[in-house]
Amino acid sequence: GAVVSQHPSRVICKSGTSVKIECRSLDFQATTMFWYRQFPKQSLMLMATSNEGSKATYEQGVEKDKFLINHASLTLSTLTVTSAHPEDSSFYICSARDPAAKPGQPQHFGDGTRLSIL
Amino acid sequence: GEDVEQSLFLSVREGDSSVINCTYTDSSSTYLYWYKQEPGAGLQLLTYIFSNMDMKQDQRLTVLLNKKDKHLSLRIADTQTGDSAIYFCAESLTGQNFVFGPGTRLSVLP
């Protein structure tokens, strides 16, 4: 079964709305989670690394004030798209790695959230 | 920076073998992964290989790694219509930060 749960799976909302996406690790405590964005027919681009108890690390070109990340517990990271506009419409995927896993063992990905801004 | 390249499309007939190729630029890549993404869904891990290996087989899947040429391939034997999806190659130095390829869209024809 899934070890990383992402919610909601789909969001449709009006321009200007803020949208929160949750990523939960179900079977392990994740000190680090990752947020990716995928445009249609394109690959996944890492947006930011979410660190439990500290500030997220954003990739170059990603607006931290636009994409707020909170990792307040060892099993939950949230991504809030603030004042969303149509250009923010995309597929957002989170991932987490079990810290007890052996080096190189892959991360677990959520099922993604499809965000559509009207 | 690191870069991962894949051909974007592949069509095969049902029952044939599919070979999806990937090249990467970072010679220090330690871990290489293959993920499958079906329409509207997240990523499903298929298999992964460490850079000190040159082959890994798991049922219908065979991964070949040519570290000298920085070339990775995924062979799917007896390809079925359910294998139609996008296949992503990814590399990582530490197993934490991933760099994904653009994905190869595999179409399986009846």
Side-chain angles (χ1 to χ4, degrees):
Chain A
V3 295
V4 172
S5 171
Q6 195 171 334
H7 179 80
S9 57
R10 175 144 195 151
V11 181
I12 302 172
C13 57
K14 292 182 180 179
S15 187
T17 308
S18 290
V19 179
K20 181 186 284 189
I21 303 169
E22 294 185 347
C23 181
R24 293 181 185 275
S25 57
L26 301 180
D27 296 333
F28 58 93
Q29 294 183 327
T31 53
T32 305
M33 292 185 176
F34 302 90
W35 288 97
Y36 294 85
R37 181 174 182 177
Q38 184 181 31
F39 290 103
K41 299 185 180 179
Q42 293 190 29
S43 189
L44 285 77
M45 300 299 295
L46 179 66
M47 297 174 65
T49 303
S50 173
N51 304 299
E52 188 270 334
S54 65
K55 291 182 181 180
T57 307
Y58 289 82
E59 295 299 302
Q60 193 172 6
V62 178
E63 298 176 58
K64 59 180 71 173
D65 294 331
K66 176 73 170 176
F67 299 100
L68 298 179
I69 291 173
N70 185 284
H71 194 151
S73 81
L74 285 169
T75 58
L76 174 64
S77 174
T78 60
L79 168 68
T80 301
V81 183
T82 61
S83 187
H85 292 283
E87 59 266 28
D88 299 321
S89 298
S90 194
F91 194 56
Y92 294 86
I93 306 177
C94 71
S95 72
R97 187 169 176 274
D98 185 347
K102 294 179 183 176
Q105 282 196 311
Q107 298 175 23
H108 301 282
F109 284 83
D111 285 337
T113 297
R114 185 161 302 282
L115 175 63
S116 301
I117 308 298
L118 306 176
Chain B
E2 307 104 349
D3 194 21
V4 178
E5 296 292 335
Q6 297 176 242
S7 52
L8 298 182
F9 301 97
L10 176 66
S11 291
V12 299
R13 293 220 171 266
E14 194 172 12
D16 288 350
S17 292
S18 308
V19 179
I20 303 171
N21 294 302
C22 170
T23 57
Y24 58 97
T25 58
D26 190 351
S27 57
S28 58
S29 296
T30 310
Y31 310 104
L32 297 136
Y33 306 87
W34 283 104
Y35 284 89
K36 176 183 180 182
Q37 185 180 37
E38 296 184 11
L43 296 184
Q44 174 194 351
L45 175 71
L46 291 178
T47 188
Y48 62 100
I49 191 168
F50 299 145
S51 61
N52 61 357
M53 300 165 65
D54 50 25
M55 182 180 124
K56 183 177 181 181
Q57 186 159 2
D58 184 2
Q59 299 182 328
R60 290 192 298 126
L61 305 179
T62 303
V63 178
L64 294 178
L65 174 62
N66 182 327
K67 195 175 179 184
K68 174 176 168 288
D69 294 339
K70 288 178 268 187
H71 181 266
L72 183 74
S73 68
L74 173 69
R75 178 176 179 270
I76 306 173
D78 187 24
T79 312
Q80 303 297 309
T81 54
D83 294 324
S84 293
I86 301 176
Y87 290 80
F88 290 98
C89 168
E91 63 90 12
S92 178
L93 177 62
T94 62
Q96 291 259 58
N97 293 4
F98 281 31
V99 177
F100 285 88
T104 299
R105 185 177 296 273
L106 174 64
S107 299
V108 182
L109 308 173

